[in-house]
């Protein structure tokens, strides 16, 4: 029997991590390259080193996978899936094990990708210039000019610096013999760079020892190169000023919107949508709350045909009218240049070998899979007998025969015959490409390594001087099963891609070595009008939800009180509930039918779509989340996660532990006794109150005090002003403040009960109440304090479209515009307060409209241009 000391010694029979990895890995499918093992069944050198520096037993990978999933959830990394029913957001799929690329493999990939990027840029320059390649039949004119990605309106237009392609992505696979082949190329608006960096940040932290010891090349210098290239190319149109750049996104409903926001934040660029931009006098401007500010370069993630509704797709709401003319005038750098989408056609691959010899004088180092464009009769005749061995791809992104790629070996004889006839009917729309089984990589799943088919996307970045830098890594995508299609839309996943170097690791950081004054100015980014408007409405929806919550809690306390409630109080509450969207118009008041009123209130609480006509808590929580979605890059991760979960969490708590459905008020079979009452949903209300307090804290204490934050604060204060005026009006009209219950309820709705009791104990005197809720500027919930803060924040907003004195003139010059003595006057005080409440509500509505016109609409006949 071993001694107690021996129990803590290493077990000599325990396999090493390398041995365990070999034992746990399934064999690859026949005919596929094994990325994990060599021909003798041993681990390849990279995997041997990875296992050596794993930093724990192999079974720890399960815990690290859980940490990875939690990090993705906390960071809100998403990928939107589109279907016939619309879009749905899901967490980004990332595996714990990286893909390892040996130095000798990377040298071939790096040199080959740079060569191909240079070749494609030269092809684009010729096609939009002299078109000698078309005239000399190196490229079929029908293929290029018939492609929807070729934009005739830009023929003869040379982009700044002569650079058509700033970022090129190549999708590659590894054949069974280990050779690398290019399957496709992305030249229009290549996606994935943001996910590449996000994957690296997460996975490298899970294996810090292996990452350092294996000399994995870093990514930051590539991103910095991209930014510097755009800035250099944009200098000629910046009139001697520092060029302003932005990242153009289709918006939050795009499938890869997360990476747009992430990449914009990482590069330090404003994230803009088409509606944020305008063209004036052939120049591009960003609509900001400060005015129009010039934009000299766009890193775009918007497809060509959506970019300009005047000259391209007229139904596009995502683009910028007049953008094509700004490009023709040479006043903006587009990365990539408009009109490069034709290079993405798979048919182009068949002509690249000859084009490389003609333009570069060299063979392609990184070849494409053998490709035949069926629009050439000779090509179709050569390959149609072997259709079952090819992949059938659409030549154009859309057309008369839209379809996804079809793998010939998966088709039976009848299907092959059908496809052959289909190609014969429209040969130009079809391209054939050799089929190659994808290499298979290890993926940790349920305690073992399954082997999945994988493709690699690498990115070549232009330096603006004819050279190219290939990002040392890329996006590895894997199939959902051991053998299957590689597609994120079909549920595939991704791997971080580690390029192992036998040289020095590049430790470059995106941070400047030394900041200049102009760098500091550049970092003071303008607030886009759309963002300012979203901030304004986020403030309003936050305050509106808080007020509705207090009103529901007030209703709950009144209905739970055993004492009989004064009818005036019930009528005041009924008025407030109707005007603030807690119940539909026409709902009988609490004095007429308290149970029906309570049923309507409970039904509306969880109604996201306001189907009953009541815009209650769930509806406004959804509106708050939507406004926050547009502000993703402005919010801290904690703030974003909190806002993202408010609505779902509240609805789940409303349903209770059993998760039952909300009763239907329109269903006559739904017994009133089965409905939860307001007392039973109190736990959900209390939890929401704590969450909203955290939201308010984040907005108050964790956001930059720029014009956007000022607009958020103004939005909150305007909403509070209108809400509080409405409370006073309802209570004074119904004379509900004269009873102890009405008095206490009024203090609760103003969130001032504790302050009042500390000063006046239990004295129920109207002058004290008016002083506290209307006149006292030291009480943050009083009307006077709200107005004072509102005047302060309005005074700090940017000067635009008229003096700010016009805005301030809508409010009382000081205080609330009336004295406490006037409010307490026995005969006129009641009427004076109602007049005051109505006047302040109208001032709030008018001020909201004027702020929208001045800072968000940009619709003035003449517009002051703000210099760079």
């Amino acid at each position: 029997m071993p001694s107690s000391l021996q129990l803590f010694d290493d077990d000599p029979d325990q396999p090493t991590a390398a041995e365990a990895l070999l034992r746990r890995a399934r064999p690859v499918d026949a005919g596929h390259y094994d990325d994990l093992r060599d021909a003798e069944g041993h681990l390849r050198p990279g995997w041997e080193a990875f296992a050596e520096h794993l930093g724990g037993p192999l079974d720890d990978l399960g815990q690290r996978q859980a940490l990875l999933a939690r990090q993705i959830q906390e960071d809100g990394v998403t990928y939107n899936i589109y279907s016939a029913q619309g879009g749905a957001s899901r967490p980004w799929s990332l595996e714990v094990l990286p893909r390892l690329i040996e130095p000798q493999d990377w040298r071939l990939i790096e040199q080959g990708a740079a060569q191909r990027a240079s070749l494609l840029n030269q092809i684009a320059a010729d096609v939009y210039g002299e078109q000698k390649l078309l005239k000399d039949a190196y490229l079929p004119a029908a293929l290029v000019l018939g492609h929807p990605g070729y934009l005739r309106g830009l023929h003869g237009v040379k982009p700044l610096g002569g650079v058509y392609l700033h970022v090129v992505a190549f999708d590659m696979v590894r054949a069974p013999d280990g050779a690398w082949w290019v399957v496709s190329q992305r030249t229009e608006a290549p996606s994935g760079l943001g996910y590449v960096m996000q994957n690296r940040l997460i996975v490298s932290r899970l294996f810090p020892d292996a990452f350092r010891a294996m000399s994995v090349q870093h990514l930051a210098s590539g991103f910095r190169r991209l930014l510097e290239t755009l800035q250099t190319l944009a200098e000629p149109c910046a009139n001697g000023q520092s060029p302003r750049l932005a990242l153009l996104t289709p918006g939050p409903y795009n499938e890869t919107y997360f990476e747009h926001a992430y990449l914009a934040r990482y590069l330090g660029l404003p994230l803009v949508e088409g509606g944020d931009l305008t063209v004036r006098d052939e120049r591009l401007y960003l609509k900001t709350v400060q005015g129009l500010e010039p934009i000299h370069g766009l890193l775009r993630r918007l497809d060509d045909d959506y970019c300009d509704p005047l000259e391209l797709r007229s139904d596009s709401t995502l683009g910028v009218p007049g953008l094509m003319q700004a490009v023709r005038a040479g006043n903006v750098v587009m990365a990539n240049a408009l009109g490069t989408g034709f290079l993405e056609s798979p048919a182009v691959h068949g002509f690249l070998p000859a084009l490389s010899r003609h333009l570069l004088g060299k063979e392609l180092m990184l070849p494409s899979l053998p490709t035949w464009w069926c629009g050439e009769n000779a090509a179709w005749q050569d390959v149609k007998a072997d259709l079952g061995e090819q992949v059938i791809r659409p030549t154009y992104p859309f057309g008369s025969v839209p379809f996804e790629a079809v793998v010939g070996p998966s088709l039976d004889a009848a299907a092959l015959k059908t496809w052959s006839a289909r190609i014969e009917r429209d040969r130009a729309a079809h391209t054939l490409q050799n089929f190659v089984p994808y290499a298979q990589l290890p993926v940790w799943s349920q305690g073992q390594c399954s082997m999945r088919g994988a493709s690699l996307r690498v990115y070549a970045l232009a330096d603006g001087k004819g050279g190219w830098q290939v990002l040392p890594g890329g996006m590895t995508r894997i199939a959902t099963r051991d053998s299957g299609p590689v597609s994120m839309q079909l549920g595939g996943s991704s791997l971080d891609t580690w390029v192992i170097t036998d040289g020095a690791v590049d430790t470059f950081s995106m941070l400047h070595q030394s900041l200049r004054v102009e760098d500091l100015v550049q970092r003071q980014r303008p607030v886009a009008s759309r963002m300012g408007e979203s901030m304004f409405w986020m403030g309003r929806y936050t305050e509106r939800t808080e007020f509705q919550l207090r009103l529901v809690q007030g209703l709950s306390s009144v209905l739970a009180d055993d004492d009989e409630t004064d009818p005036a109080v019930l009528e005041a509450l009924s008025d407030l509930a109707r005007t603030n969207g807690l119940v539909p118009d026409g709902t009988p008041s609490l004095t007429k039918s308290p149970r029906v009123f309570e049923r309507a209130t409970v039904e509306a609480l969880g109604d996201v779509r306001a189907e009953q006509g009541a815009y209650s808590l769930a509806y406004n929580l959804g509106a708050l989340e939507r406004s926050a979605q547009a502000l993703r890059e402005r919010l801290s991760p904690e703030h974003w996660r909190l806002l993202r979960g408010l609505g779902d969490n509240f609805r789940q708590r409303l349903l209770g532990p059993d998760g039952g459905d909300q009763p239907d008020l329109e269903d006559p079979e739904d017994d009133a006794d089965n409905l939860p009452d307001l007392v039973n949903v109190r736990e959900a209300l209390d939890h929401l109150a704590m969450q909203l307090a955290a939201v308010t804290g984040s907005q108050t204490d964790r956001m930059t005090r720029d014009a956007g934050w000022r607009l958020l604060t103004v939005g909150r204060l305007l909403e509070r002003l209108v809400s509080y005026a409405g409370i006073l009006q309802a209570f004074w009209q119904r004379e509900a403040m004269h009873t102890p219950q009405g008095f206490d309820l009024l203090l609760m709705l103003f969130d001032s009960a504790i302050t009042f009791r500390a000063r006046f104990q239990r004295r129920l005197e109207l002058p004290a109440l008016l002083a506290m809720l209307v006149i006292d500027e030291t009480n943050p919930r009083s009307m006077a304090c709200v107005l004072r803060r509102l005047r302060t924040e309005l005074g700090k907003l940017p000067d635009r479209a008229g003096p700010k004195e016009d805005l301030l003139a809508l409010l009382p010059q000081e205080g609330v515009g009336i004295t406490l003595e006037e409010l307490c006057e026995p005969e006129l005080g009641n009427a004076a307060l109602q007049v005051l409440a109505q006047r302040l509500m109208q001032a709030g509505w008018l001020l909201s409209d004027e702020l929208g016109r001045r800072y968000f609409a940009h619709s003035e006949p003449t517009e002051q241009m703000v210099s760079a």
Side-chain angles (χ1 to χ4, degrees):
M1 183 174 180
S3 67
S4 60
L5 291 177
Q6 289 176 312
L7 293 176
F8 295 93
D9 292 339
D10 290 338
D11 185 350
D13 296 326
Q14 184 73 21
T16 65
E19 292 171 336
L21 189 57
L22 279 173
R23 293 182 185 180
R24 302 279 190 93
R26 294 180 179 179
V28 297
D29 295 338
H32 293 259
Y33 180 85
D34 190 336
D35 192 79
L36 180 68
R37 295 158 289 216
D38 60 22
E40 288 74 34
H42 303 133
L43 288 180
R44 297 190 184 276
W47 285 108
E48 186 79 39
F50 182 81
E52 180 184 350
H53 298 97
L54 188 59
L58 198 64
D59 286 323
D60 283 355
L61 291 179
Q63 295 180 343
R64 300 190 202 198
Q65 183 80 58
L67 288 173
L68 180 151
R70 185 162 68 245
Q71 189 65 54
I72 286 176
Q73 187 70 30
E74 289 178 355
D75 290 347
V77 189
T78 57
Y79 180 79
N80 298 330
I81 301 299
Y82 295 115
S83 64
Q85 289 76 34
S89 178
R90 72 167 189 182
W92 174 248
S93 185
L94 174 63
E95 303 300 327
V96 67
L97 290 177
R99 179 177 198 166
L100 308 180
I101 299 181
E102 301 286 354
Q104 64 274 16
D105 287 324
W106 182 249
R107 279 191 285 270
L108 171 64
I109 293 171
E110 183 178 35
Q111 294 171 16
Q115 180 195 46
R116 292 178 69 99
S118 178
L119 175 61
L120 293 176
N121 195 74
Q122 290 189 46
I123 294 172
D126 178 82
V127 166
Y128 283 101
E130 297 181 6
Q131 297 189 339
K132 292 185 63 176
L133 297 178
L134 305 186
K135 296 170 185 175
D136 296 340
Y138 283 96
L139 266 175
L143 172 61
V144 175
L145 304 181
H147 195 287
Y150 174 74
L151 302 182
R152 288 174 172 80
L154 291 178
H155 182 253
V157 177
K158 186 177 181 180
L160 292 169
V163 180
Y164 289 80
L165 302 175
H166 307 77
V167 183
V168 189
F170 298 102
D171 292 323
M172 302 188 303
V173 296
R174 199 162 199 181
D177 62 357
W180 291 93
W181 295 88
V182 175
V183 177
S184 62
Q185 52 208 20
R186 296 288 177 261
T187 57
E188 190 173 5
S191 65
L193 279 172
Y195 288 122
V196 168
M197 180 54 72
Q198 180 71 28
N199 287 357
R200 172 58 53 85
L201 291 176
I202 294 176
V203 175
S204 62
R205 292 171 183 170
L206 295 175
F207 306 102
D209 295 338
F211 187 80
R212 286 191 298 269
M214 294 174 66
S215 298
V216 179
Q217 195 58 274
H218 295 185
L219 300 173
S221 62
F223 288 89
R224 185 62 196 173
R225 169 65 56 83
L226 173 62
L227 199 59
E228 289 177 343
T229 297
L230 294 180
Q231 289 172 332
T232 300
L233 293 175
E235 285 178 356
C237 57
N239 297 324
Q241 303 294 322
S242 296
R244 291 188 180 274
L245 309 176
L247 194 152
L248 177 62
T249 174
Y253 297 107
N254 182 262
E255 59 185 355
T256 57
Y257 179 73
F258 165 82
E259 78 142 336
H260 305 175
Y262 182 88
L263 189 59
R265 179 179 291 179
Y266 185 71
L267 295 176
L269 302 178
L271 183 67
V272 301
E273 298 178 24
D276 297 328
L277 303 170
T278 186
V279 173
R280 306 285 174 88
D281 298 326
E282 298 184 338
R283 290 188 175 275
L284 184 66
Y285 291 91
L286 173 64
K287 303 174 187 175
T288 78
V289 297
Q290 292 89 353
L292 296 185
E293 299 206 1
I295 293 293
H296 308 106
L298 281 180
L299 178 61
R300 66 183 178 96
R301 290 302 317 279
L302 184 63
D303 291 342
D304 285 350
D305 49 341
Y306 292 96
C307 283
D308 187 344
L310 289 183
E311 299 192 45
L312 301 172
R313 285 189 58 153
S314 60
D315 62 341
S316 171
T317 60
L318 304 176
V320 188
L323 182 60
M324 289 267 284
Q325 187 55 36
V327 169
R328 276 192 289 264
N331 291 327
V332 61
V333 172
M334 299 292 293
N336 288 343
L338 295 174
T340 54
F342 76 93
L343 292 168
E344 295 188 356
S345 173
V348 171
H349 290 265
F351 304 95
L352 290 181
L355 286 166
S356 179
R357 290 189 292 270
H358 174 65
L359 294 175
L360 304 179
K362 299 178 181 177
E363 295 290 338
L364 282 176
M365 300 176 63
L366 201 59
S368 299
L369 288 172
T371 305
W372 296 266
W373 179 45
C374 298
E376 287 189 316
N377 183 60
W380 169 236
Q381 296 304 325
D382 284 346
V383 78
K384 70 177 183 178
D386 300 322
L387 187 60
E389 300 175 7
Q390 313 299 326
V391 177
I392 308 170
R393 298 185 182 277
T395 301
Y396 309 116
F398 52 85
S400 58
V401 284
F403 63 95
E404 299 292 336
V406 177
V407 180
S410 67
L411 301 176
D412 57 26
L416 285 172
K417 184 177 180 180
T418 300
W419 272 102
S420 181
R422 183 175 180 178
I423 294 172
E424 286 281 7
R425 288 194 296 269
D426 191 355
R427 290 184 303 190
H430 298 82
T431 297
L432 300 181
Q433 196 174 65
N434 263 9
F435 171 76
V436 60
Y438 288 11
Q440 293 188 342
L441 277 63
V443 175
W444 186 258
S445 176
Q446 299 179 346
Q448 60 183 350
C449 284
S450 59
M451 303 299 290
R452 308 272 185 89
S455 68
L456 171 65
R457 173 171 290 188
V458 297
Y459 300 86
L461 311 173
D463 64 4
K465 303 174 183 177
W468 296 83
Q469 176 178 347
V470 180
L471 195 69
M475 173 69 66
T476 294
R477 295 174 294 174
I478 61 170
T480 55
R481 306 182 303 278
D482 292 358
S483 296
V486 176
S487 170
M488 300 301 292
Q489 282 285 348
L490 296 178
S493 190
S494 68
L495 307 176
D496 186 19
T497 305
W498 288 13
V499 171
I500 303 170
T501 180
D502 49 13
V505 173
D506 184 359
T507 58
F508 179 84
S509 171
M510 280 291 289
L511 296 176
H512 285 289
Q513 297 303 311
S514 59
L515 286 173
R516 301 166 298 174
V517 173
E518 52 267 35
D519 294 326
L520 296 172
V521 173
Q522 182 73 7
R523 277 170 163 72
Q524 297 173 2
R525 290 189 289 169
V527 177
S529 292
R530 175 185 56 86
M531 182 177 291
E533 186 172 17
S534 296
M535 295 282 282
F536 177 74
W537 280 103
M538 185 167 76
R540 293 198 68 169
Y541 282 125
T542 303
E543 185 68 26
R544 187 174 299 178
T545 306
E546 282 191 347
F547 175 67
Q548 284 187 330
L549 176 62
R550 283 198 301 274
L551 188 53
V552 175
Q553 289 174 321
L555 281 168
S556 176
S557 65
V558 166
L559 294 174
D561 198 333
D562 293 333
D563 296 334
E564 184 175 351
T565 305
D566 187 274
V569 175
L570 296 177
E571 287 297 331
L573 280 175
S574 301
D575 293 344
L576 286 172
R578 278 191 291 266
T579 56
N580 288 279
L582 291 185
V583 295
D585 286 337
T587 303
S589 68
L590 283 165
T591 55
K592 294 179 179 178
S593 183
R595 185 54 179 157
V596 171
F597 191 93
E598 186 176 4
R599 282 163 57 97
T601 304
V602 174
E603 177 73 10
L605 285 179
D607 185 2
V608 178
R609 295 182 296 273
E611 293 177 345
Q612 306 296 327
Y615 298 85
S616 189
L617 280 171
Y619 177 86
N620 282 300
L621 286 172
L624 176 58
E625 183 176 344
R626 287 190 294 274
S627 65
Q629 177 72 28
L631 299 168
R632 179 68 183 271
E633 73 274 20
R634 286 269 319 204
L635 306 179
S636 69
E638 297 81 9
H639 193 180
W640 164 245
R641 287 199 301 271
L642 185 59
L643 289 170
R644 190 181 58 185
L646 277 179
D648 287 342
N649 186 278
F650 178 65
R651 289 191 296 276
Q652 290 171 3
R653 289 178 179 273
L654 279 181
L655 296 176
D658 297 331
D661 293 331
Q662 286 288 341
D664 185 359
L665 289 180
E666 302 299 322
D667 185 359
E669 301 298 325
D670 194 356
D671 193 315
D673 293 335
N674 293 328
L675 268 169
D677 53 31
L678 286 175
V679 175
N680 292 333
V681 300
R682 184 173 294 174
E683 189 274 337
L685 299 175
D686 291 344
H687 186 79
L688 178 60
M690 289 190 293
Q691 289 182 306
L692 287 174
V695 170
T696 299
S698 293
Q699 293 175 358
T700 303
D701 195 46
R702 303 190 66 182
M703 299 186 75
T704 304
R705 263 52 172 174
D706 59 3
W709 181 85
R710 305 263 174 226
L711 286 165
L712 182 149
T713 305
V714 167
R716 290 204 65 154
L717 294 171
L718 273 181
E719 193 68 33
R720 187 175 298 177
L721 178 70
V722 172
S723 298
Y724 285 2
I727 297 173
L728 292 176
Q729 188 178 61
F731 270 70
W732 257 253
Q733 281 181 345
R734 298 291 184 177
E735 297 187 351
M737 64 289 185
H738 295 302
T739 66
Q741 193 175 41
F743 198 98
D744 290 342
L745 184 60
L746 192 55
L747 287 172
M748 188 272 285
L749 292 176
F750 269 78
D751 198 17
S752 298
I754 294 176
T755 305
F756 186 87
R757 299 306 176 203
R759 294 186 185 180
F760 303 107
Q761 290 76 46
R762 295 294 304 174
R763 302 182 66 173
L764 306 181
E765 297 182 18
L766 198 57
L769 184 69
L770 290 172
M772 174 66 66
L773 302 186
V774 180
I775 302 298
D776 186 359
E777 291 192 5
T778 65
N779 176 20
R781 297 289 178 166
S782 75
M783 304 290 289
C785 185
V786 171
L787 287 166
R788 177 178 58 80
R789 292 184 58 201
L790 194 52
R791 287 189 290 264
T792 300
E793 298 302 336
L794 287 173
K796 294 179 180 180
L797 288 176
D799 288 314
R800 255 205 98 247
K804 285 177 290 190
E805 287 73 19
D806 294 347
L807 298 176
L808 295 171
L810 297 173
L811 303 174
Q813 290 186 359
E814 59 181 20
V816 294
I818 192 172
T819 64
L820 181 62
E821 289 76 11
E822 292 173 307
L823 289 177
C824 296
E825 205 279 328
E827 296 184 2
L828 301 178
N830 187 26
L833 191 135
Q834 292 189 52
V835 170
L836 172 66
Q838 184 63 33
R839 186 168 68 243
L840 293 179
M841 280 193 288
Q842 289 178 344
W845 297 329
L846 288 172
L847 189 53
S848 178
D849 291 342
E850 180 60 21
L851 287 169
R853 185 195 67 79
R854 182 172 295 200
Y855 292 104
F856 311 143
H858 291 265
S859 58
E860 297 87 342
T862 58
E863 189 74 64
Q864 178 186 1
M865 305 300 183
V866 178
S867 61

